[in-house]
Amino acid sequence: MPSTQENLKEAFAGESQANQKYRAFAKVAEREGFPNIAKLFKTAAEAERIHAEGHLNAMDGIGKTVDNLKAAIAGETYEFTEMYPPMFEQAEKENHKAKRMFKYALEAEKVHAELYKLALQAVEQGKDLDISEIYLCPVCGHIEFGKPKDKCPICGALPEKYIQV
């Protein structure tokens, strides 16, 4: 019989995946002209996020900002050093379409870790980041501090395609 901690990890993963899946389903419903079904998917996605956050909190997975940044750095570093390289290699061997997003994610996670390190340095000095404009490449997930001037260094998306979050 699994422990409560193991159950929390499984529930957190399942609710997190449901959140993302329903957000993706909402985009399709909107494109296909079903705005109310899209709203249902978006609302259910938010409900799943609430569940996931509750489970993460019960696992003591949410701490002070300095601790959260350290956890984020560790997670992003794991992804680009251990998780994505073999996934990308396997998809490449199989010539699977997943290779594109695996490669994008691998490269973007490196950038995320570096940005989190900058944020951690600021917090350790009792400061916030000195940049308020943060942009996201909607194709690959690359993040830029300040308005992008050049194509995305990971996927080549034009700077005007970036979105400010």
Side-chain angles (χ1 to χ4, degrees):
M1 176 179 225
S3 69
T4 298
Q5 194 69 11
E6 291 167 329
N7 288 338
L8 282 167
K9 286 180 183 178
E10 184 177 343
F12 175 69
E15 298 289 356
S16 298
Q17 289 178 26
N19 168 274
Q20 291 303 114
K21 182 169 44 176
Y22 295 162
R23 288 167 45 104
F25 290 176
K27 287 180 185 177
V28 172
E30 283 176 344
R31 271 197 315 264
E32 292 179 351
F34 303 111
N36 293 331
I37 294 171
K39 284 180 193 175
L40 173 60
F41 277 130
K42 287 178 185 178
T43 304
E46 185 61 12
E48 305 298 358
R49 186 205 56 79
I50 290 167
H51 300 156
E53 192 171 314
H55 300 325
L56 183 61
N57 190 43
M59 289 188 293
D60 295 323
I62 305 170
K64 293 184 177 285
T65 300
V66 70
D67 298 319
N68 294 339
L69 285 165
K70 289 176 182 177
I73 292 165
E76 299 292 318
T77 301
Y78 164 77
E79 289 175 352
F80 79 78
T81 59
E82 296 180 43
M83 187 179 90
Y84 279 120
M87 290 178 175
F88 173 68
E89 185 180 315
Q90 183 66 33
E92 216 173 27
K93 272 190 219 170
E94 296 174 7
N95 198 28
H96 193 285
K97 65 183 177 180
K99 68 184 177 183
R100 187 185 95 165
M101 192 51 72
F102 285 158
K103 182 69 170 168
Y104 287 170
L106 190 157
E107 296 301 325
E109 304 305 2
K110 290 178 191 175
V111 174
H112 300 171
E114 290 305 312
L115 298 178
Y116 282 139
K117 287 177 186 176
L118 292 174
L120 179 60
Q121 289 173 350
V123 169
E124 288 175 336
Q125 296 172 8
K127 299 175 183 175
D128 195 358
L129 288 170
D130 61 0
I131 186 84
S132 61
E133 289 187 343
I134 301 174
Y135 288 82
L136 172 68
C137 175
V139 176
C140 71
H142 177 259
I143 297 173
E144 281 278 335
F145 283 173
K147 191 164 180 70
K149 295 173 181 64
D150 299 314
K151 288 181 181 178
C152 176
I154 296 172
C155 71
L158 297 174
E160 57 269 19
K161 297 290 184 187
Y162 276 72
I163 55 174
Q164 192 173 8
V165 179

